[in-house]
Every structure is written in C-alpha cells, then in structure tokens.
Amino acid sequence: MQLAFIGTGYVGLVSGTCFAESGNRVTCIDIDAEKVKRLRDGIIPIYEPGLTELVLSNIQAERLTFTTDLAEGIAKAELIFIAVGTPQGDDGAADLSALWAVVDGIRRSAQEPKIVVVKSTVPVGTNSKLLARLNEGSKFAHESASNPEFLKEGYAVEDFMKPDRVVVGVRSKLAEQRLKKIHEPFLRTNHPFLVMSPESAEMTKYVANCMLATKISFINEMANLCERMHADINDVRIGIGHDSRIGFQFLFPGVGYGGSCFPKDIRAMIALARQHGVVPRILESVDDVNEDQKSRLFEKIREMAGTDLKGKTVALWGLSFKPRTDDIREAPSLVLIKQLLEAGASVRVHDPKSIQNVKAIFGDKIIYCDKAYGTVEGADVLAIVTEWQEFRNPDFDIIRKLMVGSIVVDGRNLYDPQTMASLGFHYASIGRATVGPA
C-alpha cells in the first residue's frame, strides 16, 4: 500500500520505517530540509536501537523515501498519517498549531479524496475538528481516522513489530479496512485490532499514559514513606507485585518520570478536564509528586555531603530520561544538574548516548566524560540517575580508589545496600535505609 507520513520525529520515523519493512511504499514528509537531506543519507536524528538498520535497508529497497514536498508526498497515498509534535502550551494544553498547518496543507494539495490518520497525541475531539477543517471549502469528501501509538522509547521498533494491541478510531468501513490491512503483518500472534470511535481512540492514548504515570508517582510516594517508616520499598514492591490485580510493571521507585509523553500528556489531560468542568485531583497529584521526586537526589546529596556544596564535586551516571534513548526531555538529570550548579558544586557527567544533547543546554558549565570510571575521578559524590545496563555491575574497587569521597546516591536502586556498606561506601537509595561502613 502507498503511505505518507507527515512529520519525521520519533513517532513518524519509527512508524513509517516499520510499515516500509512490511512491504509498503512509504513517503516521509518534513518541512526541515536539512533533516530530510540527512535522512536520505541514512543519518538518523534520534537514537533508537535497530532503527538505523531498518531505515538504511528500506531506503536501499526503495520502499522508504523522504521529501519536503507535501503535494508530491501525498499524491498517491492511500493513507496519510499525521505525526507532528503536539507540545505543551503555556496553559498546559496541547499546542496543535503544527497539526492545523498540516491539515491546511493537505486540503490545498490533495487532488483526490484522502483518508487522513492522526498518529499524533491530540486532545479528545481533535479528530472531529480536523475532519471539518479538512473538508471546509474542499471539492473532495475527505475522511479522517485516529491511530494512536503506544511505543516505548528504547524499544519502539520491537513494540511496533510486536504490539500488545492496535487501536483505531474510524467512521467508515473503508478506513477500517485499510488500517487493518497494513497492521495485519504485525498481528499474526492474535493480538487484537481494536476498532472504536475517534474520540475513544484519542482518549485511550491519554488514559494509558496517565495510568502508567500514576503507577510511577504512586510507588515513588510509597518509597518516600518507607524511608520514614524504616521499611524497604523493594520488599514492599515484591509483596504487592505478586498480586495479579497489581503486577510489577511501572512499580520501580526512582527519581521521577520524564520524556516527551508522560509529563505533557498528564498536563494536557488536566487542562482538558478543567475545560469540561472536572476537577482532576488524581492527575494533579501525579504531576506534583513527580516534580517533587526529581529533587530527591539533590536532597539526599545535601543530607550526606552537607548543605554547603561549594567546592564539592558530584559525578552523574546517566542523563537521558530512561536507558536506550538519547532523549533528555523532562529528564530528572537536568533538574539535578541545575540544582547542583546553583549550590556551587562542580558537576561531571557521563551517559552512553545523550552527552551532546545535554551539552547543548549546559555548555561549559559542567564536565563531560566519555567513560563511566573517568567521571568519578576526584568526585566527592556519585549519583546514579539513569539505569543504563553498563552501570549495573561496575568495579567498585576502582570507583572507591578514583573517588575522593565515599558517597553514592542511587536514584534507581541498582545496588544492594549492605554490599555497598561493606565496600566502604556511604550509600543512599530510594525507599530504603541509608547505610555506611561498619
């Protein structure tokens, strides 16, 4: 099938590439000429495991092309997917300006009736407004549908190829049939293809993200309480996780969620609820708890290293909001770095993939290290912010020799407290007792 994807960000590039991999001819469209040029050359603007190889192979097979020409890109498309960004606006609601610009462009450029499918995360009711705007003054009767994505950064290609479910919001059998046809190769293990109204599909995306964010804020709040009550959050997590009604997913305490989805989607739902006269008490609390949690590592560093951090050196392992991505949007590391700099500390950082993105924000205010062990050299404190695999089993004898201090503040609970104490560290984590050498 001939497909067009408008927007070559995270969602558009991954989705378009995966559809090309299953045999479709896909044209990805973007207004950024330099980005399109780089994509044609096989240079991928994001880090996502497995994506580069798929892009290159499908370019070579001539199933995947890139252009800045909207009219050319959609001319033969049987489905047009909109995958532009919907960032948070000043009022917390989603900013749909890019979406509306695309809709207007399709209306002007289309030379035949089109089915326009929204992949972007948009407020409930957007699809209905889009359809009206798409057909306003048009000589064609265009259709619109919704097809929200449920991709985890770091696992997006795998998630797309092996989805838990596919959700589509449609108004016609034609749209349903075309969407089902292109998704069938990914649903051969009988995972469901769920058909509903566009409004329900839009709501499904937001509710899913809000539920997952709620689980994270809940376990973080319980972890903070465990510290006061001399309980161990890991024991508690295991104790509740074996309840089939609760489970273990998204119940790992840490320093708060970040990324491009959860923060803005929670706030968009808060804004949407208020617009419709609903007081979103749970969602407001989820957001508040998460923002507070991003300061927990700084608070622990001050508790252990002293309130005056001037002249102290703090090493950070992990900058991206989660492992297996270079995405630092809303990352807890950015909050910690800012707090440490304001307190007068020197900051040394390491991350396998996102150094350049952080450098674009902080410039020469901090020291960037290409090796994990080099980061801790001369440090008073080591802070674990992101749980990259390479941080799980380091050589603590080397770390102890390189550091001038002995404080390790672990925001991801990677290490055993008693083992850390026996190795001579003063060790703090999330929801567990702080320990030190005997």
Side-chain angles (χ1 to χ4, degrees), residues 55 75 107 172 188 256 281 289 303 305 341 352 402 414:
V55 170
R107 186 182 65 244
S172 75
R188 305 185 86 178
R281 290 187 291 269
V289 167
E303 288 169 7
L341 291 176
L402 290 173
L414 298 187

Side-chain angles (χ1 to χ4, degrees), residues 324-390:
R324 294 170 60 96
T325 180
D326 62 352
D327 195 342
I328 61 168
R329 286 174 287 184
E330 299 272 356
S333 64
L334 305 183
V335 175
L336 178 58
I337 292 170
K338 183 179 179 182
Q339 290 171 327
L340 290 170
L341 291 176
E342 289 175 350
S346 297
V347 180
R348 300 168 62 85
V349 302
H350 170 70
D351 186 279
K353 295 296 178 182
S354 61
I355 288 286
Q356 293 304 316
N357 292 338
V358 172
K359 188 178 288 188
I361 296 174
F362 290 102
D364 59 2
K365 294 178 182 177
I366 60 179
I367 297 170
Y368 307 91
C369 305
D370 59 359
K371 302 293 183 183
Y373 292 132
T375 315
V376 304
E377 188 170 1
D380 298 282
V381 179
L382 168 61
I384 314 296
V385 190
T386 312
E387 65 275 31
W388 284 92
Q389 199 68 25
E390 69 178 69

Side-chain angles (χ1 to χ4, degrees), residues 88-378:
Q88 180 182 323
D90 294 338
D91 60 354
D95 180 353
L96 301 181
S97 56
L99 180 88
W100 298 134
V102 167
V103 172
D104 292 342
I106 294 172
R107 186 182 65 244
R108 289 192 299 267
S109 303
Q111 297 301 308
E112 61 183 7
K114 295 294 184 182
I115 299 176
V116 177
V117 185
V118 180
K119 263 246 180 258
S120 304
T121 302
V122 295
V124 181
T126 299
N127 201 284
S128 179
K129 295 176 184 176
L130 180 151
L131 182 61
R133 186 160 178 159
L134 190 63
N135 286 318
E136 184 180 353
S138 174
K139 59 184 178 180
F140 304 113
H142 301 297
E143 288 191 48
S144 68
S146 179
N147 178 213
E149 53 82 21
F150 301 96
L151 307 178
K152 299 187 298 291
E153 290 194 40
Y155 299 88
V157 172
E158 182 180 348
D159 284 348
F160 196 98
M161 296 294 193
K162 301 175 182 178
D164 294 324
R165 80 291 199 197
V166 170
V167 173
V168 298
V170 297
R171 296 184 179 84
S172 75
K173 275 294 178 184
L174 177 62
E176 178 184 339
Q177 289 166 357
R178 288 188 181 178
L179 284 166
K180 187 173 184 179
K181 181 180 178 181
I182 62 170
H183 283 101
E184 278 177 344
F186 310 111
L187 297 172
R188 305 185 86 178
T189 53
N190 295 321
H191 288 290
F193 180 79
L194 303 175
V195 181
M196 55 189 73
S197 70
E199 290 75 19
S200 294
E202 291 166 336
M203 193 68 170
T204 297
K205 169 63 176 179
Y206 273 113
V207 172
N209 279 354
C210 289
M211 184 70 240
L212 297 174
T214 299
K215 292 183 74 172
I216 295 171
S217 282
F218 174 79
I219 201 65
N220 281 335
E221 190 163 90
M222 294 304 101
N224 297 340
L225 184 58
C226 280
E227 291 180 23
R228 300 291 183 92
M229 304 300 293
H230 308 292
D232 186 319
I233 189 60
N234 195 49
D235 291 338
V236 174
R237 182 184 66 82
I238 293 170
I240 66 172
H242 282 290
D243 187 324
S244 60
R245 298 169 299 176
I246 297 173
F248 288 101
Q249 288 190 316
F250 285 80
L251 282 183
F252 289 92
V255 289
Y257 57 74
S260 64
C261 294
F262 287 4
K264 77 176 181 67
D265 289 355
I266 281 280
R267 293 164 195 158
M269 278 288 275
I270 289 171
L272 189 66
R274 289 173 179 161
Q275 290 169 10
H276 289 81
V278 175
V279 180
R281 290 187 291 269
I282 291 176
L283 298 182
E284 289 173 338
S285 295
V286 168
D287 190 40
D288 290 343
V289 167
N290 190 64
E291 290 307 295
D292 288 346
Q293 196 70 13
K294 291 180 180 180
S295 296
R296 287 295 289 149
L297 283 191
F298 181 69
E299 293 166 2
K300 288 178 178 291
I301 291 169
R302 297 216 314 167
E303 288 169 7
M304 299 179 73
T307 55
D308 186 2
L309 296 179
K310 290 190 175 84
K312 298 287 178 67
T313 298
V314 180
L316 270 66
W317 279 3
L319 300 170
S320 54
F321 85 94
K322 63 181 286 188
R324 294 170 60 96
T325 180
D326 62 352
D327 195 342
I328 61 168
R329 286 174 287 184
E330 299 272 356
S333 64
L334 305 183
V335 175
L336 178 58
I337 292 170
K338 183 179 179 182
Q339 290 171 327
L340 290 170
L341 291 176
E342 289 175 350
S346 297
V347 180
R348 300 168 62 85
V349 302
H350 170 70
D351 186 279
K353 295 296 178 182
S354 61
I355 288 286
Q356 293 304 316
N357 292 338
V358 172
K359 188 178 288 188
I361 296 174
F362 290 102
D364 59 2
K365 294 178 182 177
I366 60 179
I367 297 170
Y368 307 91
C369 305
D370 59 359
K371 302 293 183 183
Y373 292 132
T375 315
V376 304
E377 188 170 1

Side-chain angles (χ1 to χ4, degrees), residues 41-111:
D41 293 336
I43 301 172
I44 311 304
I46 59 174
Y47 173 73
E48 181 64 39
L51 181 60
T52 297
E53 295 83 355
L54 285 181
V55 170
L56 290 173
S57 66
N58 281 284
I59 289 174
Q60 187 173 14
E62 298 183 349
R63 290 191 300 266
L64 182 63
T65 57
F66 300 93
T67 184
T68 58
D69 190 327
L70 177 66
E72 177 190 344
I74 69 171
K76 297 179 180 179
E78 297 166 78
L79 291 171
I80 301 171
F81 290 85
I82 300 179
V84 296
T86 54
Q88 180 182 323
D90 294 338
D91 60 354
D95 180 353
L96 301 181
S97 56
L99 180 88
W100 298 134
V102 167
V103 172
D104 292 342
I106 294 172
R107 186 182 65 244
R108 289 192 299 267
S109 303
Q111 297 301 308

